[in-house]
Amino acid sequence: MSKHPKKINIAIDGYSSCGKSTLAKAMSASLNYIFIDSGAMYRGVTLYAMENGLLKDDMIDAEGLKRALADIELVFGELAQSGKDHPLLLNGKDVSKEIRTMEVSRLVSKVAAIKEVRIKLVEQQQLLGKKGGVVMDGRDIGTVVFPNAELKLFLTASPDVRAERRFAEMTQKGMKVSMHDVEQNLRERDYIDSTRAESPLHQAEDAIVIDNSELNQSEQLELALSYVQNVLEQQIA
Ligand code: CDP
């Protein structure tokens, strides 16, 4: 019997732009856990493809990218501030801003459907979670990356709410996007992510669903932390 439960791993999955990273970040800050945005890694590989001539007419040169995978190094840098993003370094360069553009969003699901890309990133993600104490968000975290995670959350929100949130987020960052493009991008990514052959997005059987359409950030955090509390109490009992 231990009074100090070991640090657990928390998997957060769900469709595009339903607040996974916001929740993961807030949870990691209040639990003093490490936050890992697995989507940032797929975005990093996509940016590499864009910057290295691996795009043909808006199509990914999948064979070329597979050959280049060994040359792609993705590292999360030190956290500048608690509750914020870890900067993502692509071959040593901070690309945290570049990976958020609409151009990357348009291509990332095609890159993430490539088996070899997934094998490389999943291996790295599993290493990061080896010691526990990680909150990771993505599409296949509870199903493939951490199938034994002590807590799995599956976030949902209505398509309208998701599009409005993403539009506001991008506009606030000074990006020029239209609501139409944002909606279309979310629809396309949801479709590709949930129908691809390799680890498609689906809810793990043992995941707890949180529909946050009507919840603000602190309400969703409070709810999620109550689930963490339950898991930790079970560990002590
Ligand atoms: O933040 P948002 O919901 O827009 O997406 P993201 O988490 O940045 O992920 C970008 C894309 O990466 C997704 O649309 C997926 O295609 C892919 N992805 C994935 O396949 N598996 C993951 N574990 C995370 C992201």
Side-chain angles (χ1 to χ4, degrees):
M1 201 164 85
S2 159
K3 287 234 167 72
H4 299 285
K6 77 173 175 71
K7 287 191 167 188
I8 62 171
N9 278 335
I10 301 171
I12 305 182
D13 290 300
Y15 291 95
S16 295
S17 197
C18 58
K20 300 180 298 292
S21 295
T22 306
L23 177 61
K25 235 178 276 179
M27 288 178 82
S28 68
S30 60
L31 295 165
N32 202 15
Y33 278 20
I34 295 166
F35 159 56
I36 298 184
D37 174 0
S38 68
M41 301 169 76
Y42 289 93
R43 289 173 178 272
V45 174
T46 306
L47 185 69
Y48 179 93
M50 286 163 52
E51 290 179 342
N52 289 275
L54 297 170
L55 260 187
K56 285 178 198 154
D57 304 329
D58 231 21
M59 294 289 291
I60 303 290
D61 170 4
E63 292 310 313
L65 183 55
K66 284 180 207 171
R67 282 194 299 272
L69 278 178
D71 301 330
I72 303 178
E73 188 198 54
L74 292 165
V75 176
F76 285 105
E78 282 303 308
L79 200 63
Q81 211 184 325
S82 166
K84 296 275 180 218
D85 291 330
H86 286 276
L88 181 73
L89 308 180
L90 167 59
N91 292 340
K93 182 182 163 222
D94 185 347
V95 293
S96 311
K97 221 171 152 190
E98 291 90 330
I99 57 169
R100 301 289 161 199
T101 62
M102 194 48 126
E103 207 183 348
V104 171
S105 295
R106 245 182 240 124
L107 294 162
V108 62
S109 289
K110 291 177 189 159
V111 169
I114 300 171
K115 184 177 173 185
E116 289 75 2
V117 171
R118 302 203 71 80
I119 291 173
K120 177 183 166 100
L121 297 192
V122 167
E123 197 180 276
Q124 203 175 333
Q125 290 153 6
Q126 287 175 332
L127 268 178
L128 291 166
K130 225 171 170 188
K131 292 191 190 145
V134 162
V135 189
M136 191 178 294
D137 80 292
R139 304 294 185 286
D140 60 344
I141 311 305
T143 51
V144 176
V145 179
F146 299 146
N148 298 323
E150 288 85 347
L151 179 64
K152 300 178 186 178
L153 301 175
F154 192 87
L155 254 56
T156 64
S158 75
D160 286 353
V161 167
R162 294 197 277 132
E164 274 162 30
R165 285 180 186 157
R166 181 49 52 95
F167 179 73
E169 182 186 331
M170 295 183 86
T171 314
Q172 260 167 29
K173 285 183 183 162
M175 299 185 197
K176 295 216 171 0
V177 284
S178 72
M179 188 63 159
H180 172 267
D181 283 354
V182 170
E183 281 170 342
Q184 190 178 337
N185 178 249
L186 296 187
R187 256 198 314 273
E188 270 174 22
R189 281 200 287 138
D190 286 352
Y191 178 75
I192 301 176
D193 293 346
S194 49
T195 56
R196 68 185 177 213
E198 295 303 324
S199 346
L201 165 64
H202 70 93
Q203 187 193 320
E205 265 175 33
D206 50 350
I208 299 170
V209 177
I210 299 181
D211 182 336
N212 66 19
S213 308
E214 309 278 331
L215 299 178
N216 65 31
Q217 290 185 20
S218 59
E219 289 166 337
Q220 103 167 341
L221 176 62
E222 200 181 321
L223 180 61
L225 289 177
S226 72
Y227 294 130
V228 176
Q229 199 52 38
N230 288 346
V231 173
L232 295 180
E233 276 167 15
Q234 278 169 19
Q235 285 198 342
I236 294 177

